[in-house]
Amino acid sequence: MIEFKEVSKIYPGAQTPAVKDLSFEILEGEICVLVGPSGCGKTTSMRMINRLIEPSSGEILIDGEPNTKMSGTALRRKIGYAIQQIGLFPHRTIARNIATVPQLLGWDRERIRRRVDELLELVGMNPADFRDRYPSELSGGQQQRVGVARAMAADPPIMLMDEPFGAVDPITRERLQDEFLRIQENIKKTIVFVTHDIDEAVKMGDKIAILEQGGILAQFDSPENILTHPNSEFVASFVGADRVLKRLSLLRVADMRLDPADGADDLPTIDERLTVRDALSQIVGVGATGGIVERDGERQLLTIKAIEGLLKDSGSARG
Amino acid sequence: MNDVLKVFARPQFPHAVLVHVELSALALLIAVAIALPVALAVNRSSLGTAVAVNIGNIGRAVPSLALLALALPFLGFGFAPSLVALIALAIPPILINATTGLREVSKEVIDAARGMGLSGWQILRGIQLPIAAPVIFAGIRTSAVQVVASATLATFIGGGGLGDLIVEGFQKGDTPVLLAGALAVAFLAIITELLFGGLERAFTPAGLKVAQKRQKAR
Amino acid sequence: MGSIQLALLLQSLDQQLVDWAWIRQNYREDIVPAVIGHIYLSFVSVAIALAISLPVGIIVSRYRKAYPPVTILTGLLYTIPSLALLAILVVIPGIGVGPNAVIIALVAYSLLVLIRNVVTGIDSVPAETIDAARGMGLTERQILFKVEIPLALPVIVAGIRIATVTVIGIATIGAYIAGGGLGQLIFDGIDQNFPTKVIVGAVLATAMAVVADLLLLALERYLRPWARRVRGAS
């Protein structure tokens, strides 16, 4: 869907490149997270896709065609764009903010109105309440939702998101991430997602591209593989010493095969929607060796042993 | 007081008002026509903005009587030299406000607009100008009030207007004439202030008014 | 156009417009007194205006209801064209022509900017700072003089800067009602049809305004040591 071919970017006057010989391919319907320390060129890489920045060399193919085939503005109208600072237009209502690209594309009024309401519903905001409000009247979390809705307005197959949940508190961020993953399950967009937070990368990404200082691609793989087989010192230290635990956050209790529990009434009850990491934390937190999961009316036993077993067999993929 | 009213009834009075308004309106219009395009032209260059703002700042420090008086040796007596001086006087506030107003539209807003595929012209017209409008109009209002006030001084270089009445009253020791001129000019200045204040509010987008109110409440 | 031609043009303009010999001869009797008179008018006016605006601004920042009427009143004064205000002052019994009428007018013009900046300056002090001061046991009076006014000072000086530049400009008009200062040269030049006086008066008034602007801007920056340190550290 999106293919980087030997893409480099050297800013005028800079000694070292911001992005160097970047080559990788993002598949249709996947979330690809670009992650790395500041100065690794992740935002620059993303902005070259919709040509807010032009590469110094190399090319980017979208659906097999170079992205230089059409004008920058025409290209950008086909690619959703959401940024951390959101950049809502303060003088326009929420509805008109969301309608920006549809209006540029000349949709008729009725279609725009329907689409705006649909999107507001999708991001969990009541259209009747929010349609005619102004950005300054919204909380940070609500603004981020509108930012994402605005990026999706013309139903672009590709979306670029630069730390789209970066400007809110951790709890709101987590909720927005979960909501967005739920939405993505239905819309299946091809998404390029920039973050500096490896936990967010692991959570959101189908693929992760880890970039190093100087815009060099350190590793490009699934979150699972990056956590189990970091291919360099840099990647290992970037994903962190707790990468074993991070792998557990990729799995949900619901995805585990468990045995029925007999007795063991003193064990804590675990919600099967939790990630295995959170379940483990709950079990260890009360000093138990396992927990009870209620599933289809049956009581099942989740033991620390079973969790250890998970880590040994690295074949299991995301749930 | 009755004597003052008699001055208002003199046939020369409407003429003085007319010249005063004509001089001020023309000066303001031409100043807008010069300052706004310059502000738009330097919009994308930080060097251009710095130059424009600094020239504007120095321009604002020039006393209005000095400007009008300097027009005399170079351009001579009359309406036209007064007009030129008043234009020069009116440009700086508009230039400063328009350049800084356009400049202060947040970078993120412009980046988002660009990222969604708005062209440079669409960003300027649909995003930057409406957001900067209150600041730009505040600059025009400052200039307008200043021009109406300074047009009074045009009398010293033969530009006419209500200043003529003040000077006539002063030289002849005719208090009613002096007061009639002074009151008329003061009234005109206050009307101008109110009128342009209204324009400023009218051109402030509703969303920005909401934002201003919320900021004040904090 | 070459620079030599430009120089020649300027020189020919010079010969027509500026009588350098007059400047050399009258520099002591005419020009220096005009400059001193102008500085006197401006300085005294801003000082009086400040002496009024500081207490008024402090009171208004405490009793918020008084702010709108004060703004409307001073705004009205500010809007009245200077020649009109001078003319009105002259006919008021007990004032008449002379420097006093000019100073009253100049004070009137300074009030709006000065009071507004005193209030904005005090408002700009973060609530946490005042809370911390109160928490450490400072009295309201100490908070005002040791916390609020020092922190508000740069904004107040910014107001003084705007007021000073405005006053220097308007003071030239004061010469019309026998207030003295550089305006005297300008009006004499117009009356006597002698461009040199007009140009000298106008150029010096402009220079004085620009210099005052720059000096007070430097003072304003100097008064923000906390801002300077941060910049130095980063």
Side-chain angles (χ1 to χ4, degrees):
Chain A
M1 186 74 178
I2 304 172
E3 192 182 354
F4 279 73
K5 287 174 93 174
E6 305 273 314
V7 175
S8 293
K9 174 70 191 177
I10 302 174
Y11 285 107
Q15 298 290 318
T16 49
V19 173
K20 200 174 171 214
D21 294 334
L22 200 59
S23 293
F24 68 101
E25 191 179 354
I26 300 162
L27 299 179
E28 188 165 345
E30 279 193 348
I31 299 182
C32 172
V33 181
L34 307 181
V35 66
S38 62
C40 72
K42 52 191 188 291
T43 296
T44 301
S45 305
M46 188 197 84
R47 289 164 72 91
M48 286 191 288
I49 297 172
N50 67 353
R51 289 175 56 201
L52 284 172
I53 296 174
E54 301 284 357
S56 309
S57 64
E59 61 175 355
I60 296 170
L61 305 182
I62 295 177
D63 281 335
E65 305 247 0
N67 67 351
T68 47
K69 243 193 123 181
M70 57 174 94
S71 76
T73 50
L75 176 77
R76 292 195 272 272
R77 286 171 199 183
K78 295 184 161 184
I79 299 177
Y81 185 68
I83 53 175
Q84 177 183 0
Q85 304 85 351
I86 317 168
L88 294 182
F89 304 144
H91 60 306
R92 292 189 173 171
T93 59
I94 300 309
R96 279 204 63 204
N97 262 285
I98 295 175
T100 304
V101 178
Q103 264 174 354
L104 289 174
L105 296 175
W107 291 17
D108 64 66
R109 200 172 280 193
E110 180 53 29
R111 185 174 169 208
I112 291 177
R113 200 191 57 75
R114 261 184 287 125
R115 180 65 178 157
V116 166
D117 285 1
E118 183 184 49
L119 283 164
L120 281 172
E121 300 263 8
L122 188 67
V123 296
M125 294 169 76
N126 183 4
D129 288 344
F130 288 101
R131 213 187 277 134
D132 300 320
R133 297 263 203 97
Y134 288 102
S136 62
E137 298 174 280
L138 269 52
S139 71
Q142 289 168 336
Q143 292 190 21
Q144 297 259 1
R145 284 166 211 251
V146 174
V148 171
R150 185 172 70 169
M152 295 195 294
D155 205 12
I158 298 172
M159 286 177 61
L160 308 182
M161 307 177 87
D162 189 351
E163 309 218 13
F165 312 127
V168 289
D169 63 88
I171 294 168
T172 311
R173 182 180 319 142
E174 183 125 357
R175 199 163 59 224
L176 290 174
Q177 288 167 343
D178 291 337
E179 281 172 16
F180 187 73
L181 285 174
R182 201 196 64 229
I183 294 170
Q184 165 69 356
E185 257 174 50
N186 297 317
I187 59 177
K188 286 283 166 215
K189 303 280 183 199
T190 306
I191 293 166
V192 182
F193 192 107
V194 166
T195 180
H196 64 273
D197 174 4
I198 184 70
D199 289 313
E200 183 168 60
V202 167
K203 179 171 181 179
M204 303 301 289
D206 294 303
K207 293 278 172 53
I208 296 179
I210 299 188
L211 295 166
E212 276 183 66
Q213 216 74 247
I216 298 158
L217 186 61
Q219 189 166 2
F220 179 64
D221 215 326
S222 67
E224 176 72 20
N225 281 339
I226 281 183
L227 292 173
T228 31
H229 308 296
N231 68 0
S232 68
E233 211 41 30
F234 168 77
V235 173
S237 85
F238 187 77
V239 298
D242 62 341
R243 62 192 163 92
V244 174
L245 288 176
K246 283 197 179 107
R247 274 175 65 203
L248 293 180
S249 52
L250 290 174
L251 287 170
R252 297 202 178 265
V253 175
D255 301 324
M256 291 179 70
R257 241 170 291 132
L258 299 174
D259 296 325
D262 325 302
D265 290 329
D266 52 335
L267 295 179
T269 309
I270 306 288
D271 187 331
E272 66 166 344
R273 285 168 302 185
L274 288 182
T275 65
V276 179
R277 181 179 181 160
D278 290 343
L280 179 66
S281 165
Q282 232 180 53
I283 293 166
V284 176
V286 297
T289 55
I292 300 297
V293 180
E294 299 258 3
R295 188 184 289 173
D296 309 327
E298 195 193 351
R299 285 158 53 82
Q300 297 181 333
L301 181 65
L302 170 67
T303 60
I304 294 181
K305 263 230 144 50
I307 295 173
E308 278 172 7
L310 273 180
L311 293 172
K312 272 172 208 146
D313 102 73
S314 55
S316 63
R318 278 188 78 166
Chain B
M1 208 59 208
N2 252 338
D3 296 334
V4 173
L5 291 178
K6 262 183 223 153
V7 180
F8 290 152
R10 277 179 6 182
Q12 298 99 304
F13 180 74
H15 178 71
V17 173
L18 198 70
V19 172
H20 201 102
V21 170
E22 206 179 346
L23 195 55
S24 311
L26 264 179
L28 188 70
L29 267 176
I30 297 172
V32 169
I34 294 171
L36 276 191
V38 171
L40 293 180
V42 300
N43 174 29
R44 278 166 180 255
S45 137
S46 37
L47 179 71
T49 303
V51 170
V53 169
N54 277 314
I55 289 179
N57 273 328
I58 292 175
R60 282 194 86 160
V62 181
S64 21
L65 183 64
L67 256 178
L68 280 153
L70 281 176
L72 182 63
F74 293 98
L75 303 169
F77 261 96
F79 186 88
S82 306
L83 182 62
V84 172
L86 291 176
I87 293 167
L89 192 85
I91 287 175
I94 305 173
L95 187 62
I96 293 173
N97 278 40
T99 35
T100 50
L102 289 172
R103 197 82 186 161
E104 275 163 12
V105 175
S106 90
K107 263 199 303 228
E108 292 77 33
V109 166
I110 292 175
D111 181 49
R114 250 172 39 92
M116 281 187 287
L118 275 76
S119 65
W121 165 245
Q122 285 166 332
I123 292 173
L124 182 65
R125 214 186 62 99
I127 312 294
Q128 281 185 290
L129 276 177
I131 294 176
V135 184
I136 296 174
F137 273 92
I140 296 177
R141 181 179 63 162
T142 308
S143 280
V145 175
Q146 219 174 322
V147 163
V148 168
S150 302
T152 321
L153 308 176
T155 182
F156 296 128
I157 63 164
L162 288 163
D164 284 359
L165 288 177
I166 299 177
V167 168
E168 183 197 326
F170 193 78
Q171 281 172 349
K172 294 184 184 164
D174 187 342
T175 307
V177 172
L178 180 92
L179 277 181
L183 291 175
V185 164
F187 184 70
L188 205 56
I190 291 165
I191 295 276
T192 308
E193 165 81 27
L194 294 177
L195 182 73
F196 281 84
L199 271 182
E200 194 181 319
R201 272 187 295 283
F203 277 88
T204 303
L208 296 185
K209 279 185 197 155
V210 171
Q212 282 166 3
K213 232 184 250 160
R214 294 183 78 84
Q215 209 152 28
K216 262 189 205 155
R218 219 171 281 155
Chain C
M1 190 155 93
S3 56
I4 299 169
Q5 277 157 301
L6 191 70
L8 282 174
L9 180 77
L10 281 175
Q11 209 180 359
S12 67
L13 271 178
D14 248 28
Q15 279 159 1
Q16 285 170 7
L17 295 171
V18 180
D19 182 347
W20 292 99
W22 178 85
I23 293 178
R24 272 192 298 275
Q25 281 159 21
N26 297 276
Y27 142 90
R28 262 169 206 280
E29 299 95 275
D30 279 347
I31 299 177
V32 172
V35 170
I36 293 172
H38 209 86
I39 293 175
Y40 165 80
L41 280 178
S42 311
F43 184 82
V44 170
S45 306
V46 175
I48 295 174
L50 195 60
I52 298 171
S53 302
L54 265 179
V56 171
I58 290 167
I59 291 167
V60 160
S61 76
R62 297 290 191 273
Y63 302 98
R64 240 16 220 253
K65 275 190 188 145
Y67 194 31
V70 167
T71 316
I72 290 171
L73 186 73
T74 52
L76 199 67
L77 285 176
Y78 187 80
T79 309
I80 298 173
S82 31
L83 191 61
L85 185 60
L86 289 171
I88 293 167
L89 285 171
V90 162
V91 294
I92 293 175
I95 299 180
V97 295
N100 287 347
V102 178
I103 290 172
I104 294 174
L106 296 180
V107 169
Y109 285 123
S110 308
L111 293 177
L112 175 70
V113 176
L114 287 176
I115 294 175
R116 197 175 51 198
N117 279 46
V118 170
V119 176
T120 342
I122 291 177
D123 281 356
S124 71
V125 180
E128 304 90 78
T129 310
I130 294 169
D131 194 46
R134 202 165 282 148
M136 284 186 285
L138 275 75
T139 63
E140 291 304 306
R141 206 187 159 76
Q142 286 168 326
I143 290 174
L144 178 64
F145 286 104
K146 296 193 169 167
V147 180
E148 287 180 291
I149 290 181
L151 284 175
L153 212 51
V155 183
I156 297 174
V157 172
I160 297 176
R161 178 165 73 96
I162 300 170
T164 306
V165 172
T166 310
V167 159
I168 290 174
I170 296 174
T172 52
I173 302 164
Y176 189 68
I177 59 160
L182 288 165
Q184 198 60 54
L185 290 175
I186 297 176
F187 284 114
D188 285 353
I190 294 174
D191 285 347
Q192 300 158 6
N193 199 9
F194 183 39
T196 303
K197 279 192 176 183
V198 174
I199 291 171
V200 168
V203 167
L204 284 179
T206 303
M208 200 183 283
V210 173
V211 168
D213 190 39
L214 293 176
L215 282 180
L216 286 163
L217 186 66
L219 178 64
E220 201 182 314
R221 299 232 167 103
Y222 173 77
L223 285 172
R224 284 183 210 262
W226 54 92
R228 262 184 296 146
R229 291 271 163 72
V230 173
R231 231 177 296 135
S234 63

